[in-house]
Structures are given as structure tokens and as C-alpha cells.
Amino acid sequence: MIVISSDSDEILDVAARYDGVRLHKRSELLASDTAKTVDVVLDVISSLAENGHLFDDVVILQPTSPLRSHTHIDESLEKKIREKCDGVVSVCEVEHNPLWANTLPENLCMEGFIRDDVIGKRSQDLPVYYRINGAIYAFSVMKIAGSREIFFNDKVFAYVMSRDSSVDIDVIFDFKLAETLISFR
């Protein structure tokens, strides 16, 4: 079952044009800038359960990840089944190694900015780091309902996506980057 959750009548009107899509109108509280995704998901699950719809798994697909494909979704769900795990979360390699990053003091002094064991190393010699890319969260309904949060433990596995499929739109630059990447596909 596909559920579109939004506080926007315009978005829900567009979603209503598609067969088999269920609509979920969010409350003002769940449409605020401080609302957590997991609270929206739990509200949808609760609403569906009240209407007799029970599910084993929930897949969260945020609209801010437009470069995710059906193949990514299918592969992440196959991984969840194969691993018999509580969840799968999509990740991608970071753009810049965090070992070359740090906070700065008020006076902007660079002393201690890079750890001694990292100074002088080539980027190719540093460990590969990954970041959550926001494209796919697939979880057991029972586990996410029990924890009431998106959680990470030894029963949650990463689904690795390429960076060019991992644009997460938060600012206008991200939108323009996604637009450009889409134009080349």
C-alpha cells in the first residue's frame, strides 16, 4: 500500500489522481518544522490500523530524495528480507572525509584542527566514511512502534547508494544540483 502524508491539499489532490494511493492529511502539529518523521509515520500506522490495515514493514520515502529509483527501493527491501533484520537505511559515501573537518574556536585558530595521525595522509589512505542520505528507511512496524524513533543497532543494516543518487534537498543549491543531475539522465 502506498500512503502519501501531507498537510498540503495541493499535494494530496495530485496524489489522489493515482490508483491505489491512500491519502493521509497531517495535523498542524505533525506538519510543523519541529515535527519528527517518526511521529508522522507512527500517526499513519495508527490511522491505518484503526481501519483494519496491519503491516509488517514500513518504508519511508522522503520527497527530498528525488534521485532514488525503484531499483534502490527493491534492493533495500530484498536486503531487509535476506538479512532478516529490523531495518535498512540508505547511505552514501561522504563527499569530504570528516577526518579533515573540525569545529573552530572563536579566534579561528587552526591548532589541533586535524588529528596528528591524519596530518600528511592522502585522502586515498583514509578510511571511507558514509552518511545517511535520507532516501530510504525500511523498518519493521513492531520495532519502530516499540522504539518510537528511527533507531540504529546490530539489526539495522546500510544500503549503499551512489552519491549521484543521494541528493537530499535541504537548500536551493541541493535543488539545483538535483535538477542538473536529472537533466543528464
Side-chain angles (χ1 to χ4, degrees):
M1 172 183 300
I2 297 172
V3 179
I4 304 295
S5 175
S6 181
D7 64 318
S8 165
D9 290 330
E10 183 180 353
I11 289 172
L12 293 173
D13 288 344
V14 170
R17 297 181 200 154
Y18 295 90
D19 289 335
V21 173
R22 294 182 89 82
L23 308 178
H24 179 261
K25 178 79 171 185
R26 286 189 206 171
S27 68
E28 247 180 70
L29 180 66
L30 293 177
S32 72
D33 288 341
T34 58
K36 292 180 177 180
T37 299
V38 71
D39 292 331
V40 173
V41 170
L42 293 172
D43 187 55
V44 170
I45 291 169
S46 175
S47 174
L48 290 170
E50 286 172 10
N51 292 308
H53 300 287
L54 302 175
F55 302 94
D56 293 329
D57 295 306
V58 61
V59 180
I60 305 162
L61 305 172
Q62 299 178 123
T64 53
S65 299
L67 302 176
R68 158 196 61 229
S69 72
H70 67 88
T71 302
H72 297 127
I73 298 165
D74 291 346
E75 288 175 354
S76 64
L77 290 173
E78 288 165 8
K79 181 171 189 122
K80 186 174 182 315
I81 292 166
R82 187 175 56 252
E83 299 291 340
K84 297 181 176 108
C85 61
D86 294 340
V88 172
V89 176
S90 60
V91 300
C92 67
E93 191 174 326
V94 295
E95 290 79 2
H96 303 284
N97 195 300
L99 294 176
W100 286 357
N102 206 333
T103 59
L104 284 170
E106 195 172 307
N107 69 0
L108 305 179
C109 175
M110 295 288 290
E111 180 181 13
F113 188 81
I114 304 293
R115 296 184 343 210
D116 289 341
D117 63 323
V118 175
I119 291 176
K121 288 195 174 182
R122 302 174 319 140
S123 60
Q124 300 90 329
D125 297 330
L126 296 175
V128 176
Y129 279 77
Y130 294 86
R131 67 173 176 84
I132 295 170
N133 68 3
I136 302 167
Y137 298 88
F139 280 92
S140 156
V141 167
M142 293 295 287
K143 295 293 183 172
I144 204 166
S147 69
R148 303 198 62 77
E149 64 185 8
I150 293 174
F151 59 92
F152 305 94
N153 63 24
D154 64 346
K155 291 289 207 171
V156 177
F157 290 86
Y159 171 72
V160 180
M161 292 173 58
S162 66
R163 285 198 309 225
D164 65 340
S165 293
S166 297
V167 175
D168 185 16
I169 299 175
D170 289 322
V171 295
I172 194 69
F173 174 80
D174 300 333
F175 182 82
K176 298 236 180 249
L177 177 59
E179 244 181 355
T180 301
L181 290 170
I182 288 169
S183 73
F184 283 108
R185 288 190 171 181

